[in-house]
Amino acid sequence: LRDNPANFQASNQLALVLVAQGTDAKKRRALELAEVNARQYQREAEALSTLGWVYFKLGRLTEAQQLLASVYQGTGGNLSAETAYYLACVLAEQQRYDDVRKLLEGALKLKGRFFYRREAQEMLNNLPKSNLPKP
């Protein structure tokens, strides 16, 4: 990133690392990077989903849900595993467990790199059976 400040992949990954580290200053920097990337690459699902994840990690659930849902709609449901996991985390906060289950099952079926594979499998294993009311 120092050598090429305009490098999307580097700044996107830095935003993800910073938001995971937890300090307020690092979270603010993560938000700045994610917002800049989302503005510059507004048609890139990865940039938008990273901003949605940063919103989620900052407790901005409504913004996270709206942004990640728009990514879902924009891709026709063909989400990357990471984006599916991000949206599943938001929907779990809303206790929409049936939707969470579908997203996680789809993400776990995808081949290739999936940074949150262990967390997704654990979340899926611990989901309530359904969010439908019991008769």
Side-chain angles (χ1 to χ4, degrees), residues 17-27:
V17 168
L18 290 172
V19 79
Q21 291 183 353
T23 68
D24 288 343
K26 289 181 180 183
K27 286 181 178 180

Side-chain angles (χ1 to χ4, degrees), residues 10-79:
S11 62
N12 194 62
Q13 291 303 311
L14 181 57
L16 292 169
V17 168
L18 290 172
V19 79
Q21 291 183 353
T23 68
D24 288 343
K26 289 181 180 183
K27 286 181 178 180
R28 277 193 305 277
R29 181 68 177 134
L31 180 60
E32 291 170 1
L33 288 168
E35 286 177 334
V36 166
N37 280 341
R39 277 193 303 273
Q40 286 183 316
Y41 303 98
Q42 50 191 285
R43 297 185 193 271
E44 290 291 327
E46 186 176 0
L48 299 174
S49 66
T50 295
L51 180 56
W53 181 243
V54 170
Y55 283 157
F56 173 76
K57 298 299 275 182
L58 295 175
R60 295 166 62 173
L61 298 179
T62 300
E63 292 164 291
Q65 194 273 332
Q66 289 171 346
L67 189 54
L68 291 167
S70 74
V71 171
Y72 179 82
Q73 291 168 351
T75 63
N78 279 333
L79 297 176

Side-chain angles (χ1 to χ4, degrees), residues 79-131:
L79 297 176
S80 70
E82 281 78 11
T83 302
Y85 175 74
Y86 300 160
L87 183 54
C89 288
V90 171
L91 296 178
E93 288 292 318
Q94 300 170 352
Q95 299 181 351
R96 293 176 52 188
Y97 302 125
D98 293 333
D99 294 330
V100 171
R101 182 172 286 102
K102 289 175 190 169
L103 286 165
L104 293 176
E105 287 172 347
L108 290 165
K109 286 179 185 174
L110 294 174
K111 302 291 182 205
R113 178 191 63 84
F114 177 21
F115 184 78
Y116 296 101
R117 186 174 297 280
R118 183 178 51 80
E119 293 88 341
Q121 186 63 62
E122 188 174 308
M123 182 188 287
L124 182 61
N125 293 343
N126 293 316
L127 278 178
K129 293 295 181 205
S130 175
N131 59 335

